[in-house]
Amino acid sequence: MSNNYFNTLPLRVQLEQLAKCRFMSMDEFSDGVEALKGKKMVVIGCGAQGLAQGMNLRDSGCDVSYALRDSAIAEKRQSWKNATENGFTVGTYEELIPTADVVLNLTPDKQHTSVVNAVMPLMKQGACLSYSHGFNIVEEGMKIRDDLTVIMVAPKCPGSEVRNEYVRGFGVPTLIAVHEDNDPKGEGLALAKAYAAGTGGHKAGVLMSSFIAEVKSDLMGEQTILCGMLQTGSLLCFDKMIEEGIEPGYASKLIQYGWETITEALKYGGVTNMLDRLSNPAKIKAFDLSEELKDIMRPLYNKHQDDIMDGTFSSGMMEDWANDDAKLLGWRAETAETAFEKTPAGDVEISEQEYFDHGILMVAMVRAGVELAFETMTAAGIVADSAYYESLHETPLIANTIARKKLYEMNATISDTAEYGCYLYNHACLPLLGDFMKGIKSDVIGRGLAVDDNGVDNARLIQVNAALRSHPVEAIGATLRGHMADMKKIV
Amino acid sequence: MTIRLEDLTVNFDERFQLNNINWQIEDNQHWVVTGANGSGKSALAAVLAGAGNCVGGQLSGVPPRVGLVSFEAQAALIEAELKKDDADIMDVIAEGTPVREILLNGETDPALVAELASLFGLESLLDQPFRKLSTGESRKMLLVRALASQPDLLVLDEPFDGLDVHTLAMLQQYLATLVETTPMVLVLNRFDEFPDFITHIAYVDKGRLEHQVDRNDASAYADLYQLLHLKTTDLQVPGADPDAAIAALDPTQPLVKLNGINIKYGDRELIKDLHWTIERNQHWQLSGPNGSGKTGLLSLITGDHPQCYVNDIFVFGFQRGSGESIWQIKQYIGYVSTALQWDYRVGTGLRNVIISGFYDSIGLYTKSTKRQRQIADQWLALLGMSGRADQPFNKLSYGDQRLLLIARAMVKHPPLLILDEPCLGLDDMNRQLVLALIEKICAGTETSVIYVNHHPEDQIQGIDNYLALEAAK
C-alpha cells in the first residue's frame, strides 16, 4: 500500500505548503506558450478533460498527441475515437512516451498509480510529467524519478467548459503548482504557466498553489459544501415538502433549479448578496436557521477536514478502489432511487425571486455550508484565497449540474473522488439533521413566510447584516471577485 | 372608396418602370410612401394623380379630384410659364402669370386661398408673377393651391422639404385638421418627419412596392426605419482601429490555399480532394445542397474544424499545424453564421458585442480602448442603432442580432469576411437590411468576401467567383 506523502513532511513544511496560494497577474503570462514551443506534448487519457485540454493546446500552437493503452487502440474504444476523429496522432505508450517532452496525465485519480508506473520508465531524461490533480503525489506518495519535472495544471471546470470557454476566446479559472521535490531544472513554473496559457486559463485567472494545498482544499470543498451539502439539502428539502403536502412536481423543480438560482446571487455578491435577495423577515429567518445549522454541522466539517488532513479519507477510498468500487457503486445506485431523484420537475412557472422566497432553508443551508467549509479550511492552515475558491466560488458551478439533470448529473460530472466523499458526507449529515428537520415547516421551504407585513426590528436586522458582512469569506471574496471582474464583468 | 392598384405596371418615358404593384388605400388611411433616392417612391405617388403609362394590371377607385404637390409638378408649371414667355411675340417685357391668377383657377375656394396664403406668408407675393418666385415660394404656392382645391385625395411629395421650421410646423398642424375628411399620401424620406396621423407606410425599392407596414406594428416599423436608414444614410463603413492593425500579409501569397483537402466522419467522406485558392480581392459565392459540407469547408479555413490539422491548408501565411495558434488565423477573418448567433448568447451591451470583433471572442474579456468604443459607436450609427449601445444583446430581435454580428465581423476590417448564409432565418425586411449592409461593406472596403447562400434572389453585387459543392456520397 502507498505512503501518504503529506504525512511524511514536518509540520513546518506542511503549513508552508498548505499556505501556498497566489492570484497571478495577467502580465506573468505575456510569454504565452513560448516555453512549450518545439516541445512534444503527449496526453494520456482521452476523456472529456483530456480531449478538451489537448484541443485547446493544439489550437494555441502546441504539438499534441495521445498515448492510449494498447487495448483502447485495438478495440477502437471511445477514447481512441475521440482522439482520431479530431485529427490527433494516437499511439501506444511505447510509441509516444519516449518522444515526449511533456506527458499530461489526464486519467482519473484511481488510475494514476498504474499509469504513472507504466509511463515513468518510458519517459526520456529531463522530461516533464503533468497532473490535473495532486492526489497521486500527495495522498498515495507516488515517487517520481529525480530527473523529471512534475507540475500540476488544474482547470477548475469540467472538460466541456474548458473547451467551450476557449472557443469563445476566454478560459476557465485554473490552478497551477510545481512539485518542489521534482523541479530539477527549475523550469516547472515556466512550463506550468505556458500550459495554463495554452488552455486559455490565464484569461480567466490563475492561482499559483502547491500540490498539497490543492489536494487538501479541493477534497474538503467537494465533499462538504459543494457536493455533499447540495445532495443532503436536496433530499431533506424534498422529503420535507412532500410531508408538508406540497405538490411533488413543484417541490422537485424548486430544488433542481433553486440551487442554481440562489447560488447565482452568491457568485455575484457573496453570502451577503444571496441573503439580501430575501425580504427582511425572511433574511432574519434564514440567518437564524443557518446559525443553528452551523452549530449542528460544525463537528462534521471538522471531521471531514481532519480525515482529509491525516489521510484517513484517502486510505478509506483506496480500499474501496481495491474492492472494485463496491461502496461507490452501491451508494450511486441508492442515490438514483431517492424520491427527489425519481420525481421529475413539474411544468410550473417559478419566478427567479420565488426561488429565494420559497427556498429560505436552501439559502440557509448554502450559507451554513459555505461559511463552515471556509472556516474549517482556514483553521486547518489553508489560506483564505484557496478556501474561497474551493467553497463559495465553485458552489454555483456544481449547482448548475444539478439544474441540468439533478444529482445524477452532478455525480456524473464530478470526479469519482468527489463523488465518494460526497456520499460519506451525505450519510453522516442526513441523520445529524434529523431533529433539526422535525422543526421545519413549509414556511421556510416550499411556501414562503406567511407574514402580514415585512416589518422587522431594526436592531436585530443591523445585527444580522453585520454578522453576514463581516464574515472573512466576504472580505476575501470581495477582493478575488474584484480580480475576476476585471476580466469577466464585461460579459 | 377604396383605391386599388392590382398588379399594376406603369411606364415612365421608358426610363423607369413601376412593376407589379399591389396596393390598397382605404378611406380612413393615411400613407407615407418612402424609399431611397431613385427607388420609385415619387413615381408611385404620382400614379395616383394620373402620371405614367399603365402597361399592365388595374388601377381603380381613384377619386376625380386629386391634389398633387411634387417637384415634378412644380417643374412642369415653371416650364409652362417659360413657354408662354417664348410664345410672346410682342416686343414688351413679359411679366408672366401672377400668383393670384394661378391660385384662383376656378377649382379653388377664394376664401380658403386667402386664408392659406396668409398662413404660408404669401400675401405680399399674390400679385407677383409666378416665375419670379423663389423655389421655396413657388412650392408654398403649390401647396396652397392643392389644399385650397379641397381634393378628395391629397398626394404630397416631400411637402416638408425646404420649408422653414415655422412653416413646417404650421403645415403639419393644418394637415392634421384634414384627417377626417381627406385621405393623404405623403412621400417622405425621414422617419422623424412622419406626422402622427400617418397610419401606414409603403416602402418602395427598385420600382417595386416591397413592404407595407402598419404604424401600430412596432417591430416592423423599427425594422423599416433601419432599412430606410441603411439605404439612405451618407454614413460609410467605419475605419479600422489604427492602434490594433492586423499584421500585414505577404501580398504575393493567396489568402487561402486548400490543397486536395478531405473531410471525413468515420467512413463517411463529406469532402474529397478539394482544391480551392482564394486570392486577395476576390469575392466568392459558395453553394451546394444541405449536408454538402459548406460549413465544414469554411471551418477548415477558420480553424474551427479539428481536421484542419490533417489537411494541407495554407491560410494567411501559415501552413496549418506548424505551431501557429488559431487566434493568429482568426485575426484575419470576420465570420458570421447562424451557428455563431446561437453561440453568441450573452447579455453584454451592443457596443461591446461589436468591440468583441477586435478580439474574435464571444463576449468581451478585455478592457476596450477609447478608440474601439468610438468605432463601435460609428457602426451603431451606421446601423441606425445610435443610443442603444448599452442595450443587452440577447434582448435584441433576431434580425438586429444578425446585423450586429456582421458589424462585429467587419469592425477590424479583416482581409477575409465569411458570411455563411447571413440571411437564413430572417424575414423579408431583415433580409433586405442584411443585404443592404453587406453591399455597403463590399463597396466601402478591401475585404474579400465568401458568401454562402441558397437563394438566387439574395445575390450580392460584385461577387464573380463561384464554388459549388456536390451532395456528399
Side-chain angles (χ1 to χ4, degrees):
Chain A
M1 201 65 191
S2 55
N3 271 323
N4 189 303
Y5 168 72
F6 181 73
N7 291 350
T8 66
L9 299 173
L11 177 65
R12 172 178 41 80
V13 178
Q14 287 180 335
L15 291 176
E16 182 194 312
Q17 291 292 317
L18 281 172
K20 274 211 170 163
C21 185
R22 180 174 70 83
F23 191 90
M24 300 179 76
S25 118
M26 190 77 174
D27 309 341
E28 297 178 64
F29 296 89
S30 55
D31 288 342
V33 297
E34 206 49 46
L36 288 168
K37 274 282 160 77
K39 291 200 158 65
K40 200 165 168 50
M41 303 181 83
V42 174
V43 183
I44 305 172
C46 195
Q49 193 66 243
L51 181 62
Q53 290 192 29
M55 290 180 88
N56 291 1
L57 287 163
R58 179 175 64 176
D59 278 345
S60 295
C62 298
D63 175 357
V64 179
S65 48
Y66 284 81
L68 302 178
R69 276 171 298 178
D70 301 358
S71 55
I73 296 172
E75 293 164 24
K76 301 195 172 180
R77 286 196 200 141
Q78 191 59 44
S79 58
W80 179 85
K81 280 189 196 147
N82 287 348
T84 47
E85 282 182 2
N86 284 294
F88 286 103
T89 301
V90 180
T92 61
Y93 290 2
E94 288 72 18
E95 285 164 351
L96 292 180
I97 302 293
T99 69
D101 298 294
V102 184
V103 174
L104 287 66
N105 175 17
L106 297 175
T107 58
D109 287 342
K110 195 184 312 182
Q111 296 174 17
H112 282 189
T113 297
S114 68
V115 164
V116 172
N117 282 333
V119 301
M120 204 162 31
L122 298 170
M123 286 179 70
K124 69 179 173 193
Q125 279 286 314
C128 173
L129 175 65
S130 172
Y131 285 89
S132 263
H133 187 30
F135 191 89
N136 184 235
I137 296 284
V138 175
E139 300 293 317
E140 299 187 89
M142 174 61 74
K143 296 292 284 180
I144 308 295
R145 238 169 52 202
D146 287 342
D147 61 293
L148 299 178
T149 303
V150 176
I151 61 171
M152 171 163 52
V153 177
K156 299 263 97 185
C157 276
S160 53
E161 302 273 312
V162 171
R163 180 61 185 162
N164 289 341
E165 289 296 322
Y166 181 88
V167 171
R168 291 164 66 93
F170 197 49
V172 305
T174 299
L175 188 152
I176 65 172
V178 178
H179 186 35
E180 287 162 20
D181 292 2
N182 277 91
D183 192 14
K185 296 188 275 187
E187 63 178 15
L189 180 58
L191 290 174
K193 283 196 312 187
Y195 179 173
T199 58
H202 64 308
K203 293 182 182 170
V206 175
L207 276 187
M208 174 76 197
S209 181
S210 70
F211 273 65
I212 285 167
E214 189 271 337
V215 170
K216 300 295 188 186
S217 59
D218 186 63
L219 290 174
M220 179 62 189
E222 67 194 19
Q223 294 178 11
T224 57
I225 171 59
L226 299 179
C227 309
M229 189 70 246
L230 296 187
Q231 168 146 354
T232 304
S234 297
L235 302 179
L236 288 176
C237 290
F238 183 79
D239 291 348
K240 176 55 70 178
M241 279 193 269
I242 298 308
E243 188 186 314
E244 289 281 297
I246 286 167
E247 201 272 311
Y250 180 88
S252 176
K253 183 166 185 180
L254 186 71
I255 295 168
Q256 181 173 348
Y257 300 98
W259 297 122
E260 182 179 49
T261 308
I262 62 181
T263 60
E264 182 78 1
L266 183 75
K267 177 166 97 184
Y268 280 96
V271 173
T272 300
N273 182 55
M274 180 176 67
L275 271 94
D276 282 351
R277 293 296 310 270
L278 294 167
S279 70
N280 285 330
K283 179 198 272 186
I284 292 173
K285 188 80 193 164
F287 179 82
D288 290 342
L289 288 170
S290 58
E291 288 291 292
E292 208 182 324
L293 284 167
K294 282 178 76 173
D295 285 342
I296 301 170
M297 297 192 300
R298 189 178 305 278
L300 179 62
Y301 279 68
N302 285 337
K303 177 172 173 14
H304 273 265
Q305 187 70 78
D306 295 345
D307 288 352
I308 289 165
M309 282 297 177
D310 70 11
T312 308
F313 165 74
S314 54
S315 62
M317 182 174 69
M318 285 186 275
E319 273 171 37
D320 196 46
W321 290 356
N323 197 22
D324 294 330
D325 298 317
K327 284 182 180 168
L328 179 76
L329 297 175
W331 294 337
R332 190 182 286 172
E334 269 172 30
T335 302
E337 294 303 312
T338 56
F340 167 64
E341 201 64 13
K342 294 181 85 162
T343 307
D347 186 17
V348 280
E349 195 64 31
I350 303 182
S351 73
E352 201 250 3
Q353 185 58 42
E354 187 174 330
Y355 281 110
F356 290 90
D357 298 339
H358 290 194
I360 298 169
L361 178 60
M362 293 164 74
V363 171
M365 286 172 164
V366 172
R367 182 214 166 205
V370 164
E371 290 190 1
L372 270 180
F374 181 87
E375 290 167 24
T376 315
M377 281 191 253
T378 50
I382 295 163
V383 291
D385 308 51
S386 290
Y388 171 83
Y389 274 100
E390 301 294 351
S391 58
L392 196 154
H393 173 77
E394 286 202 32
T395 306
L397 296 174
I398 303 295
N400 291 345
T401 65
I402 296 182
R404 282 206 285 269
K405 235 171 155 187
K406 298 197 163 181
L407 300 176
Y408 169 83
E409 178 74 12
M410 177 184 83
N411 286 314
T413 306
I414 61 180
S415 67
D416 283 1
T417 308
E419 189 180 358
Y420 185 91
C422 164
Y423 295 139
L424 285 184
Y425 176 95
N426 184 47
H427 294 148
C429 196
L430 285 174
L432 191 62
L433 293 181
D435 283 344
F436 169 83
M437 287 304 293
K438 282 185 192 143
I440 294 295
K441 296 282 176 246
S442 62
D443 59 339
V444 293
I445 183 71
R447 292 205 174 92
L449 293 187
V451 288
D452 293 334
D453 73 83
N454 275 344
V456 289
D457 178 52
N458 278 322
R460 179 72 185 127
L461 183 64
I462 289 167
Q463 220 176 22
V464 166
N465 281 335
L468 292 172
R469 284 159 170 71
S470 64
H471 193 278
V473 79
E474 294 298 86
I476 186 68
T479 308
L480 291 177
R481 283 195 297 272
H483 287 316
M484 291 293 294
D486 284 345
M487 298 180 216
K488 198 161 181 181
K489 78 170 164 219
I490 324 173
V491 177
Chain B
M1 186 172 170
T2 304
I3 302 171
R4 281 199 175 81
L5 288 72
E6 291 164 284
D7 210 23
L8 188 70
T9 296
V10 187
N11 234 322
F12 291 81
D13 302 346
E14 310 298 328
R15 301 177 274 125
F16 188 81
Q17 188 160 308
L18 288 170
N19 289 304
N20 308 95
I21 306 288
N22 284 293
W23 189 20
Q24 282 191 28
I25 304 172
E26 307 287 347
D27 279 343
N28 54 351
Q29 295 179 345
H30 303 286
W31 286 75
V32 159
V33 181
T34 191
N37 288 334
S39 60
K41 59 182 188 296
S42 293
L44 180 59
V47 164
L48 298 172
N53 178 23
C54 293
V55 294
Q58 291 280 333
L59 172 63
S60 62
V62 179
R65 297 182 325 118
V66 177
L68 171 73
V69 176
S70 68
F71 280 107
E72 285 74 13
Q74 195 175 351
L77 197 56
I78 289 166
E79 201 178 332
E81 279 297 297
L82 289 174
K83 273 200 180 133
K84 280 188 195 167
D85 199 14
D86 289 343
D88 188 20
I89 51 165
M90 309 280 285
D91 186 21
V92 291
I93 299 167
E95 285 289 319
T97 318
V99 171
R100 191 187 300 277
E101 200 173 303
I102 294 180
L103 288 178
L104 297 170
N105 60 356
E107 290 173 15
T108 51
D109 171 358
L112 195 50
V113 167
E115 184 195 332
L116 286 162
S118 143
L119 279 174
F120 279 92
L122 292 179
E123 288 151 308
S124 61
L125 303 173
L126 288 175
D127 294 316
Q128 294 280 328
F130 169 70
R131 54 174 229 226
K132 291 221 169 137
L133 298 187
S134 73
T135 317
E137 287 164 347
S138 68
R139 175 127 267 239
K140 287 180 187 174
M141 195 211 73
L142 278 174
L143 283 164
V144 169
R145 191 177 69 164
L147 294 170
S149 68
Q150 294 174 294
D152 308 315
L153 171 69
L154 196 51
V155 179
L156 306 177
D157 187 346
E158 296 288 4
F160 307 133
D161 233 28
L163 294 188
D164 56 72
V165 183
H166 165 75
T167 315
L168 191 151
M170 184 278 295
L171 178 57
Q172 291 232 18
Q173 266 175 21
Y174 188 84
L175 293 177
T177 66
L178 305 178
V179 164
E180 298 299 329
T181 54
T182 316
M184 283 177 264
V185 175
L186 311 186
V187 177
L188 290 174
N189 225 336
R190 292 176 44 179
F191 264 54
D192 53 3
E193 285 184 346
F194 290 10
D196 292 339
F197 60 77
I198 291 298
T199 61
H200 291 77
I201 299 103
Y203 176 81
V204 183
D205 191 23
K206 299 192 180 95
R208 292 181 181 277
L209 177 52
E210 292 281 2
H211 305 291
Q212 302 182 41
V213 170
D214 186 324
R215 180 78 172 262
N216 293 322
D217 181 346
S219 93
Y221 188 71
D223 287 342
L224 188 66
Y225 167 77
Q226 273 179 285
L227 181 57
L228 187 67
H229 169 82
L230 262 181
K231 287 277 194 181
T232 58
T233 181
D234 293 331
L235 294 174
Q236 295 303 314
V237 169
D241 177 4
D243 300 331
I246 304 171
L249 291 169
D250 177 353
T252 64
Q253 301 266 30
L255 294 177
V256 174
K257 190 163 196 228
L258 306 181
N259 238 332
I261 57 128
N262 301 294
I263 299 181
K264 270 173 80 169
Y265 299 112
D267 295 332
R268 185 164 165 258
E269 278 187 331
L270 191 59
I271 289 185
K272 192 169 161 55
D273 194 30
L274 179 92
H275 295 260
W276 189 16
T277 302
I278 300 170
E279 303 286 354
R280 280 161 174 274
N281 303 319
Q282 277 184 345
H283 299 307
W284 282 80
Q285 178 158 333
L286 175 62
S287 60
N290 289 327
S292 59
K294 299 186 295 296
T295 298
L297 180 61
L298 295 174
S299 57
L300 283 183
I301 296 173
T302 60
D304 292 320
H305 198 299
Q307 292 180 27
C308 63
Y309 293 99
V310 291
N311 276 295
D312 180 358
I313 297 171
F314 176 87
V315 277
F316 311 107
F318 297 100
Q319 180 68 32
R320 288 311 316 269
S322 64
E324 75 295 342
S325 89
I326 51 164
W327 308 110
Q328 286 174 298
I329 308 289
K330 284 179 187 289
Q331 63 174 332
Y332 295 105
I333 303 173
Y335 185 71
V336 180
S337 71
T338 306
L340 173 72
Q341 191 165 348
W342 287 335
D343 287 341
Y344 213 114
R345 293 179 307 262
V346 296
T348 188
L350 307 190
R351 183 192 289 124
N352 282 339
V353 168
I354 294 179
I355 293 173
S356 73
F358 284 113
Y359 302 99
D360 307 305
S361 59
I362 291 181
L364 184 61
Y365 309 100
T366 312
K367 281 215 167 80
S368 54
T369 66
K370 191 176 168 199
R371 194 192 293 272
Q372 287 170 341
R373 291 191 290 275
Q374 284 168 348
I375 292 172
D377 287 348
Q378 288 166 13
W379 275 98
L380 288 172
L382 175 68
L383 299 179
M385 296 166 114
S386 285
R388 296 169 64 184
D390 296 317
Q391 278 187 9
F393 178 73
N394 54 7
K395 298 279 190 292
L396 282 189
S397 75
Y398 196 72
D400 281 349
Q401 286 188 356
R402 190 66 59 83
L403 289 175
L404 251 285
L405 291 179
I406 293 173
R408 169 187 175 271
M410 265 313 292
V411 70
K412 60 183 174 175
H413 285 241
L416 182 64
L417 176 64
I418 298 178
L419 300 164
D420 188 354
E421 302 202 59
C423 296
L424 192 73
L426 298 183
D427 64 22
D428 203 38
M429 188 143 27
N430 278 296
R431 251 188 46 229
Q432 293 183 9
L433 256 172
V434 163
L435 292 176
L437 176 59
I438 293 172
E439 282 186 3
K440 196 121 193 147
I441 287 169
C442 286
T445 67
E446 292 185 352
T447 294
S448 292
V449 174
I450 303 178
Y451 177 54
V452 182
N453 158 40
H454 281 305
H455 303 281
E457 71 271 23
D458 291 344
Q459 297 291 341
I460 295 177
Q461 284 180 4
I463 291 189
D464 44 15
N465 296 284
Y466 300 89
L467 176 65
L469 298 180
E470 289 166 17
K473 286 161 200 112

